[in-house]
Amino acid sequence: MDYLDNLNPQQREAALYTEGPLLILAGAGSGKTSTMTHRIAYLIEEKGVNPYHILAVTFTNKAAQEMRDRVESLIGSGVNMWILTFHSACLRVLRKHAQLLGYKKDFVVYDPTDQKAAMKNIVKEMNLDDKRYTPAYFLSIISDCKEKELDPKQYLATYGEDPKTKIVYQAYRSYETLLKKNNAMDFDDLLLNAVRVFKQDEAALLEYQNRFQYIMVDEYQDTNFIQYTFIKMLAEKHKNLCVVGDDDQCIYQWRGADIRNILEFEKDFPNAKVVKLEQNYRSTANILAAAHSVIEKNRGRKEKKLWTSKADGQKIAYYRADDERDEAHYVAQQIDHLKRKDLRYSDFAILYRTNAQSRTFEEALSRRDIPYRVLGGLRYYDRKEVKDIVSYMRLVQNPDDDLALLRIINEPKRGIGARTVDKLQALARVRGESLFDTLMDEEVVSGLSAKASAGIRSMVEVIQQYSKEQSNLRVSDIYDGLLVGTGYLKALEEQNNLEAESRIENLMEFKSVIYDYEKDDEQLSLPDFMERIALLAEVDNHDESENAVVLMTMHSAKGLEFPFVFLPGLEDGLFPGWRAFEKEDGLEEERRLCYVGMTRARERLFLTSASMRTLYGKTDYTRESQFLREMDKHLIDGDAIFEKKKEARNSRSLDGYSRETPFNPFDQLKYVKQQVRQRAASGETFQVGDDVTHPKFGRGTVLKASDKIIEVSFRDGSVKKLAAGIAPLTRYIPKNER
DNA sequence: GACATATCTAAAGCC
DNA sequence: TAGATATGTC
C-alpha cells in the first residue's frame, strides 16, 4: 500500500473513496491520471476487486493505453480489464448483442469517409438542390440526432413539419436503411445502439451492470448525452461511479459535449462525494497565474484555483510580429536559441487555433533545419491510397460491402466510368443482390466493353480467392497479395511521378503498421485487424520518442504537456475565432481552449500575434486578442505593447473600412444598422463612379445607381446588385483625406 | 472515360 | 490563396 504514498491528501482521498458516486474535479496538470490509476490499483490489490468487475472509459485510444500501462506498472502484471474508449466499449457490447437489433454479428463500422460516400449516394438519388443540401449538412444533423437519441421519426416529431425538416427526415431514413442493408454502423451508432440494447434487453443490461461494479470515466466534461446515458445505465445498479473532469477544459461543446453533465453530477447522483484536485504539478507559478487570469473571466464555472509549489519561473513571453511570416520566424528563432544539448526538439510544441496556420511554421522550421512533426490535418487513414487498399481488404472480408466496392471498382483504372457503375448498381438493385453478386454474373460482365470485363473478371477472382483463404493467411500476406493482384501497385509505379511515389511510400508505411499488429498478436485475423484500425485516430499517432517539434491544434493538445509551448495567432477573429460570437457561450468555449493551450506549458510559454495577417487570400490588420487583453500584464514580458500601440495600430487599415468596424459581429451588426439609419436620415446617395466600401465585400466602384438599386463592381471582380438605402455601403475616403 | 478548366469555400475533430 | 469538387471538352 506504500504506492499510495506518492499521492497528495486530496488525490489519496479520491483513490480511497471507492464506494458510491464520486466526482473528481481535476484541474489541469493535477495528476488525475495518476490518481485514477492508483485508484484502480487500490481496488484490485487492497479491496480484492477482480479486474473483471472494473470498467474505465476514456476518449482516446492513447489515453486508454496510457492508463493501462500505468496500472500494469503499479500492480506489476498484465490486467484483464476493460480500459477502453467509449466507442470500443460499445463495440464490444454490440459484437455480442447487435443481433437483437437486427444486425448480423460481423457488422462493419463506417468511418466519416464511408458515411460521406453513403450519404452522397442518397443525396444523388433524392434529386435535391445540392447547393443547399450537401451530404455534410445531412450528416451533421443526423449525428446531432443520434447524440440525442432521436430516430428519424422522433426527429420529425420534434422539429415539426417544416419542408426542410421533412427532407432531412427522408435523408435520415434512407441513410439508416442503407446502413442497415450494408450491415454497417457509424461511430454514433456504436453508442446509440449499445444504449438501445440496454433499453430493449433487460437481461443484457443486467449482465453488464453485474459485471461492472466499479466504473470510471475520464474527461467527463466532454461527454455528450448518449455517452452520459450509457454510463448512467451501467452505473445504475452499483452506483460506484467515479468521474474525472475539469469544466474549465470543456472544449468540445460544438461536438455535442454537454458541460452540464459535470456541473450537475451531484444532482444526478445525490450524495455524490466531490474531491477537488487543485495542486498543479506541471507548470510554473507564472504560467498558472496567467492561465487563471484568463479563465476566471468565464461565468458559470466551478470555482477552483490551481496552486503550485513550483517557483514563479520566467515571465510569459509575448511577441507582436509584423505578419505571419515574421511570427513564424520568431518562433523558429526562439526554438533555435533555446535548444540546448540537454533538450530535445520534442520538448517544444506549437499549438495553433486552426490547421491552416501550420504552413508558415513548417516553412520557417525547415529553413532552419529544425525537425518537426505536424499532427492532424489529413489523417493518415484518410489518405486516398490507404482508403483504397482498406476497401479491398474490406471486400475480402465481406464481398457484399457495396460501398467498398464502389470505391475501388475503377481503381486502378479498369475502364469503368460513372455510367457503367450506374447501370450495374441499378441492375443489382432490381435483382435485390449486392453489387459484387452482380459482377460475378458472367452474362452481365460479358456485356461490358472488353477492357472493363477483363478488369472486373480479374478483380472478382482475386477477391474471391483471398476471401476463401483469408483464415489461412496472415494479414500482411493478404495485403501484399491485394496490392499486386489487383494491379494497384503497378498502376502507381507506372505513373512514375512524385505524387505516386509518396503514395507508394504510404502504402509501405501501412504495411509496417500491419507488421506491428502481427508482432503483438500472432493469430491476428483480417476481421481483428479491420476492427483495430476502424477506431484509430490521429492523436494516437503522436510518438513522444520522435525528436521533433510538435505542431498541432490546441484541441489535439488536450491531455499533453511540453516544457516549451508557443501559442501563435492571438488575434481577435482568429483566436477567439469570429464564429465564437455566433453562438451563446461561444466565447467562453474559446476561452477554455485558451486555458487548455496555456496550461500545456511546463516551463515557458510564448504568446505571439501578427499585426497583419493574410488569411484566405485577404490581408488585414489585426487587433490583439481579447484574451491577451484579459491576461494579467505583470506576468508578461517582452513586446507587451497592447496598451500603448493599440490605438495606432488599430487605426491603420488596408481599405479604409475596417478602421472603424468593430470586430464583434454583434456590434458590427449594430454599427451597420446605425450607418444605414444615418444615411437614410442624411439622404446620402451614390453616383456612378463613386468609390465605396462594403463590410463583407470590401472596396468597390458604383456601376449603376437608381433610387432602388445600386450596382457595384467589387475589387474581387464580383458585381453585386444592392438595395439602395439598405445596403451597408459607405463612401470610401482615401487615406490622405481622412 | 480521361483530362482540363471553372467554381466554390474557408474551425476545432475525440471515436 | 489554395484545395477540393463540379463541370465542360475532347
Side-chain angles (χ1 to χ4, degrees):
Chain A
M1 149 117 209
D2 45 341
Y3 55 84
L4 288 177
D5 293 346
N6 300 328
L7 302 182
N8 70 30
Q10 291 75 35
Q11 293 175 331
R12 179 195 293 258
E13 186 183 11
L16 296 181
Y17 192 91
T18 57
E19 311 302 308
L22 169 67
L23 166 63
I24 305 177
L25 284 171
S30 62
K32 71 170 181 171
T33 309
S34 176
T35 305
M36 284 212 280
T37 48
H38 279 86
R39 193 171 184 274
I40 295 172
Y42 175 73
L43 276 170
I44 297 171
E45 301 245 289
E46 304 296 325
K47 307 259 314 193
V49 175
N50 187 334
Y52 176 84
H53 289 305
I54 305 175
L55 169 69
V57 188
T58 64
F59 272 82
T60 67
N61 290 301
K62 193 168 183 291
Q65 190 55 50
E66 189 185 346
M67 203 184 287
R68 177 177 300 277
D69 290 346
R70 287 172 67 169
V71 170
E72 284 178 357
S73 80
L74 277 179
I75 64 176
S77 67
V79 200
N80 166 36
M81 75 175 256
W82 279 28
I83 306 183
L84 297 170
T85 64
F86 270 105
H87 290 83
S88 18
C90 291
L91 186 60
R92 288 216 188 159
V93 171
L94 290 167
R95 282 285 173 231
K96 205 165 163 197
H97 298 279
Q99 279 152 305
L100 187 77
L101 304 171
Y103 288 89
K104 282 185 267 172
K105 248 201 165 99
D106 59 346
F107 64 86
V108 295
V109 178
Y110 277 4
D111 71 9
T113 317
D114 302 322
Q115 284 180 279
K116 213 172 143 206
M119 188 46 90
K120 225 169 158 180
N121 283 335
I122 290 166
V123 174
K124 205 165 113 196
E125 254 168 57
M126 285 173 71
N127 265 328
L128 294 168
D129 166 14
D130 49 5
K131 283 266 151 25
R132 253 202 346 212
Y133 298 105
T134 60
Y137 168 77
F138 289 127
L139 286 172
S140 78
I141 297 180
I142 291 173
S143 177
D144 247 32
C145 286
K146 290 186 174 177
E147 273 166 14
K148 294 185 187 127
E149 217 186 339
L150 292 176
D151 67 21
K153 272 204 192 118
Q154 290 164 316
Y155 164 76
L156 188 66
T158 314
Y159 292 95
E161 292 280 311
D162 175 0
K164 231 175 163 176
T165 308
K166 263 190 143 159
I167 291 173
V168 174
Y169 161 73
Q170 282 164 9
Y172 187 4
R173 217 183 38 184
S174 314
Y175 176 76
E176 291 295 280
T177 315
L178 181 76
L179 259 64
K180 203 74 177 264
K181 196 188 112 221
N182 289 349
N183 198 27
M185 297 190 199
D186 63 25
F187 285 164
D188 297 318
D189 284 332
L190 294 178
L191 278 147
L192 179 59
N193 285 333
V195 167
R196 282 185 179 148
V197 166
F198 290 166
K199 289 201 169 165
Q200 284 178 29
D201 185 351
E202 231 174 284
L205 176 60
L206 204 61
E207 175 190 335
Y208 291 101
Q209 282 180 337
N210 286 334
R211 169 160 183 186
F212 298 122
Q213 296 168 8
Y214 296 89
I215 300 176
M216 271 180 249
V217 185
D218 192 15
E219 308 275 16
Y220 192 66
Q221 77 280 355
D222 283 326
T223 48
N224 61 30
F225 175 75
I226 195 79
Q227 288 162 335
Y228 164 83
T229 310
F230 177 75
I231 291 299
K232 193 155 190 231
M233 291 185 86
L234 279 179
E236 199 62 55
K237 186 159 181 215
H238 293 281
K239 299 207 164 57
N240 296 326
L241 172 63
C242 163
V243 304
V244 188
D246 179 3
D247 49 312
D248 287 336
Q249 293 189 62
C250 175
I251 54 173
Y252 284 109
Q253 268 179 307
W254 49 273
R255 220 163 42 191
D258 194 340
I259 197 165
R260 278 176 307 175
N261 288 344
I262 192 162
L263 294 177
E264 292 177 11
F265 183 79
E266 293 153 87
K267 258 189 225 155
D268 287 327
F269 298 91
N271 40 36
K273 165 108 179 152
V274 181
V275 176
K276 289 187 185 178
L277 305 183
E278 293 179 301
Q279 180 172 8
N280 174 294
Y281 295 95
R282 182 186 293 153
S283 313
T284 65
N286 275 340
I287 292 171
L288 221 49
H292 186 257
S293 70
V294 172
I295 196 67
E296 71 178 350
K297 307 290 188 299
N298 268 5
R299 300 158 32 154
R301 56 186 283 268
K302 289 199 176 248
E303 185 47 41
K304 59 189 123 28
K305 186 157 185 183
L306 291 180
W307 62 276
T308 179
S309 57
K310 284 197 177 188
D312 285 352
Q314 297 199 48
K315 286 192 174 182
I316 287 146
Y318 172 65
Y319 176 70
R320 174 88 170 148
D322 292 336
D323 56 27
E324 68 270 15
R325 292 187 54 192
D326 182 35
E327 179 184 49
H329 170 255
Y330 165 81
V331 170
Q333 191 184 43
Q334 289 300 314
I335 294 177
D336 243 355
H337 267 273
L338 292 160
K339 171 78 173 63
R340 301 180 309 251
K341 276 246 167 63
D342 57 323
L343 289 174
R344 297 165 50 78
Y345 280 114
S346 48
D347 291 330
F348 299 85
I350 304 173
L351 311 177
Y352 35 73
R353 177 69 242 268
T354 70
N355 276 312
Q357 287 167 259
S358 73
R359 257 202 44 197
T360 39
F361 292 104
E362 291 187 58
E363 280 171 24
L365 292 170
S366 327
R367 214 169 295 137
R368 286 175 177 263
D369 257 333
I370 299 173
Y372 65 88
R373 175 83 193 238
V374 185
L375 277 108
L378 193 61
R379 277 192 349 159
Y380 177 69
Y381 293 96
D382 284 342
R383 306 238 171 88
K384 183 185 180 322
E385 57 279 13
V386 177
K387 295 285 302 182
D388 284 346
I389 197 69
V390 168
S391 291
Y392 274 113
M393 292 165 87
R394 263 165 55 174
L395 275 176
V396 168
Q397 194 191 342
N398 170 24
D400 293 337
D401 189 338
D402 285 359
L403 219 59
L405 180 53
L406 282 171
R407 187 178 169 96
I408 49 79
I409 193 164
N410 197 31
E411 203 65 57
K413 303 278 176 264
R414 299 191 172 91
I416 299 152
R419 286 191 61 111
T420 315
V421 173
D422 280 349
K423 268 191 275 181
L424 291 169
Q425 258 188 303
L427 190 61
R429 196 165 25 230
V430 172
R431 296 196 190 177
E433 59 186 18
S434 75
L435 201 53
F436 195 83
D437 288 332
T438 312
L439 293 185
M440 289 196 307
D441 185 339
E442 181 51 35
E443 250 177 74
V444 174
V445 175
S446 56
L448 302 171
S449 74
K451 193 179 167 201
S453 54
I456 285 185
R457 275 191 207 108
S458 100
M459 176 191 74
V460 167
E461 196 191 323
V462 171
I463 287 169
Q464 280 179 319
Q465 183 203 331
Y466 283 105
S467 205
K468 238 184 286 163
E469 292 176 34
Q470 55 165 306
S471 46
N472 305 324
L473 293 167
R474 290 191 315 178
V475 178
S476 51
D477 293 331
I478 299 176
Y479 178 81
D480 281 342
L482 285 172
L483 268 185
V484 176
T486 60
Y488 196 92
L489 190 61
K490 196 164 160 237
L492 278 177
E493 282 164 355
E494 279 166 2
Q495 274 183 34
N496 202 18
N497 57 27
L498 250 118
E499 190 196 322
E501 243 173 71
S502 105
R503 288 189 194 282
I504 293 172
E505 251 171 55
N506 286 332
L507 288 172
M508 293 305 128
E509 200 181 323
F510 190 57
K511 193 172 164 185
S512 63
V513 171
I514 300 178
Y515 279 144
D516 279 348
Y517 279 108
E518 285 180 341
K519 221 170 23 193
D520 284 347
D521 176 6
E522 300 248 320
Q523 303 299 315
L524 186 82
S525 72
L526 187 61
D528 289 344
F529 177 72
M530 302 303 279
E531 190 132 332
R532 297 276 192 87
I533 63 169
L535 298 177
L536 273 185
E538 182 69 21
V539 270
D540 300 331
N541 254 335
H542 175 137
D543 176 4
E544 276 119 61
S545 62
E546 191 180 343
N547 188 20
V549 175
V550 184
L551 280 71
M552 64 175 123
T553 62
M554 287 178 244
H555 279 93
S556 324
K558 193 175 68 169
L560 305 176
E561 58 174 43
F562 306 88
F564 301 88
V565 168
F566 294 84
L567 300 184
L570 278 155
E571 296 140 34
D572 277 345
L574 183 63
F575 188 37
W578 60 271
R579 278 162 202 256
F581 295 90
E582 285 174 351
K583 263 182 305 178
E584 215 188 320
D585 286 354
L587 187 64
E588 299 222 334
E589 176 148 332
E590 294 278 299
R591 201 178 274 118
R592 289 193 290 268
L593 185 59
C594 184
Y595 176 75
V596 168
M598 294 174 80
T599 52
R600 296 311 94 195
R602 283 220 296 260
E603 287 170 40
R604 295 209 61 191
L605 177 62
F606 297 81
L607 311 173
T608 63
S609 71
S611 51
M612 190 168 72
R613 181 178 297 274
T614 307
L615 213 62
Y616 307 132
K618 272 212 168 99
T619 305
D620 271 318
Y621 282 96
T622 67
R623 186 164 77 172
E624 278 153 329
S625 169
Q626 167 169 3
F627 300 149
L628 272 175
R629 283 178 266 135
E630 286 170 1
M631 237 172 262
D632 192 339
K633 310 282 180 307
H634 309 294
L635 304 168
I636 300 174
D637 200 12
D639 216 355
I641 53 175
F642 32 96
E643 290 301 336
K644 271 181 290 167
K645 295 197 191 165
K646 192 172 74 182
E647 284 314 310
R649 288 219 140 103
N650 268 348
S651 61
R652 287 214 312 241
S653 161
L654 281 191
D655 61 13
Y657 178 78
S658 57
R659 188 177 118 221
E660 288 160 352
T661 314
F663 159 69
N664 180 329
F666 292 139
D667 297 344
Q668 211 168 69
L669 195 69
K670 253 191 258 164
Y671 171 79
V672 166
K673 279 185 180 160
Q674 186 197 338
Q675 287 220 322
V676 170
R677 253 182 279 121
Q678 266 177 13
R679 193 165 51 246
S682 68
E684 181 178 9
T685 53
F686 296 101
Q687 291 179 354
V688 175
D690 278 354
D691 271 351
V692 291
T693 57
H694 185 283
K696 221 172 158 182
F697 311 125
R699 281 275 300 281
T701 311
V702 176
L703 291 181
K704 283 180 199 162
S706 70
D707 51 347
K708 289 227 171 71
I709 296 213
I710 301 170
E711 203 173 297
V712 184
S713 155
F714 287 101
R715 267 195 179 177
D716 59 3
S718 66
V719 176
K720 303 245 157 48
K721 285 184 184 152
L722 303 163
I726 301 175
L729 283 178
T730 49
R731 198 176 297 281
Y732 173 72
I733 304 155
K735 245 185 193 165
N736 51 8
E737 290 174 32
R738 285 205 291 268

